[in-house]
Amino acid sequence: MNIKLAILIVTLLAFGCKKKDELSYKPLSFKSEKCADCPKVVVDIFEFNEGNELATVVNSALKKEVINQLIYDDEIKVSSIEEAISSFKNGYLELKKMYPDETLGWEADIKGSVLYENVDVLSIKLETYIFTGGAHGYSVTRLLNFDKKKNIALENWELFNDPEGFKHFAELKFKIQEDIPQNGTINSTGLMFENDEFYLPNNIGFTKNGLQLIYNQYEVASYADGPMSITLPYAEIRNYLAVEIK
């Protein structure tokens, strides 16, 4: 019994040490009203409930990203997710009024998750699927990074102490992954980087396995090719990072 009790205590202590660096949060869900002629909108994210400056910064950034995905008219000021859902619905109804005989079937599905967290940084993934007619919808992934000690959102350039060196290293690894000759241009196998020059994606985030780079659909390839991503192990890129990953 003593051995079992000791194992239990060690396990609980280890779990507690892991959790003390993590922010606590609660689920936050929004759904459009159910009606015969309404677009379907489902938003499943979360709200950090620490009641401190960091929680306020993270919650505000997450809400802003959801609103940006749903807002239909950029000229309309929207301050809440509920208002953004209404804007999405109004856009649908306007189009439905113009084309009453068309089956439009608009929908939006947004899900948020914590991608990575340690004592220094927090990375959040926001996955969005939106269909507003046409042959297919589109999917977008947004990665948001936060400095937990400074209580600020991090821009991509702030993640690196040597941005150019990291870009060069990422290009080398990306070419290996995608079977692109190292002495060939980045578009030599059919990709669509602007000006035929490699650049980092808009979405970069921390994961337990390394730094993840995500190119969304249409960003550097056709819709049929889908999104493209690469994860670079921390052991290989630690010297390029301005953020410490232990």
Side-chain angles (χ1 to χ4, degrees):
M1 287 295 293
N2 289 338
I3 294 177
K4 290 182 178 179
L5 181 60
I7 292 174
L8 176 61
I9 291 173
V10 171
T11 302
L12 290 174
L13 287 173
F15 181 78
C17 290
K18 178 184 178 183
K19 290 296 182 182
K20 73 178 182 179
D21 293 336
E22 299 178 358
L23 295 170
S24 61
Y25 56 86
K26 61 183 179 182
L28 199 60
S29 297
F30 302 86
K31 292 184 179 181
S32 56
E33 61 180 309
K34 292 184 178 180
C35 64
D37 199 31
C38 295
K40 179 183 177 182
V41 180
V42 177
V43 178
D44 287 316
I45 53 173
F46 40 81
E47 182 177 57
F48 289 94
N49 49 21
E50 302 293 330
N52 55 26
E53 183 179 354
L54 177 62
T56 299
V57 169
V58 175
N59 291 339
S60 177
L62 192 53
K63 182 180 75 171
K64 181 179 178 180
E65 287 297 330
V66 173
I67 290 174
N68 286 342
Q69 295 297 335
L70 290 175
I71 191 70
Y72 176 73
D73 188 345
D74 292 336
E75 296 183 0
I76 298 176
K77 292 185 178 180
V78 171
S79 59
S80 71
I81 293 176
E82 292 91 343
E83 290 177 357
I85 292 175
S86 294
S87 172
F88 189 79
K89 174 186 174 182
N90 291 337
Y92 169 85
L93 294 177
E94 287 179 17
L95 199 62
K96 187 67 176 177
K97 189 180 297 183
M98 295 172 60
Y99 304 99
D101 298 327
E102 296 291 332
T103 302
L104 301 177
W106 281 24
E107 64 176 289
D109 191 294
I110 301 177
K111 290 183 174 64
S113 60
V114 174
L115 190 63
Y116 179 83
E117 182 177 10
N118 68 8
V119 67
D120 297 304
V121 298
L122 167 70
S123 287
I124 292 176
K125 176 188 283 188
L126 195 66
E127 298 173 285
T128 300
Y129 172 79
I130 290 182
F131 179 80
T132 54
H136 49 71
Y138 65 94
S139 298
V140 175
T141 297
R142 285 284 290 124
L143 301 182
L144 309 176
N145 301 296
F146 302 89
D147 185 318
K148 293 175 63 178
K149 292 185 175 179
K150 295 181 180 179
N151 300 324
I152 59 172
L154 292 168
E155 300 292 339
N156 285 345
W157 62 268
E158 295 178 290
L159 303 180
F160 309 105
N161 55 33
D162 182 6
E164 283 302 314
F166 176 78
K167 186 179 77 169
H168 177 75
F169 179 80
E171 179 178 9
L172 184 152
K173 291 295 186 177
F174 184 83
K175 283 184 171 181
I176 293 173
Q177 175 181 284
E178 300 300 323
D179 294 323
I180 301 171
Q182 288 295 325
N183 59 354
T185 63
I186 194 65
N187 291 339
S188 61
T189 59
L191 295 181
M192 299 186 297
F193 280 83
E194 188 174 350
N195 298 322
D196 202 8
E197 293 182 3
F198 178 85
Y199 44 81
L200 299 177
N202 295 322
N203 292 283
I204 301 173
F206 299 96
T207 75
K208 65 179 182 179
N209 297 319
L211 193 68
Q212 187 174 49
L213 284 59
I214 297 179
Y215 296 92
N216 281 306
Q217 288 175 315
Y218 298 118
E219 197 169 341
V220 296
S222 68
Y223 176 85
D225 291 324
M228 306 182 74
S229 68
I230 183 171
T231 300
L232 302 173
Y234 295 123
E236 298 180 4
I237 63 171
R238 202 174 300 278
N239 291 337
Y240 298 114
L241 294 179
V243 178
E244 185 175 0
I245 302 295
K246 299 176 182 178

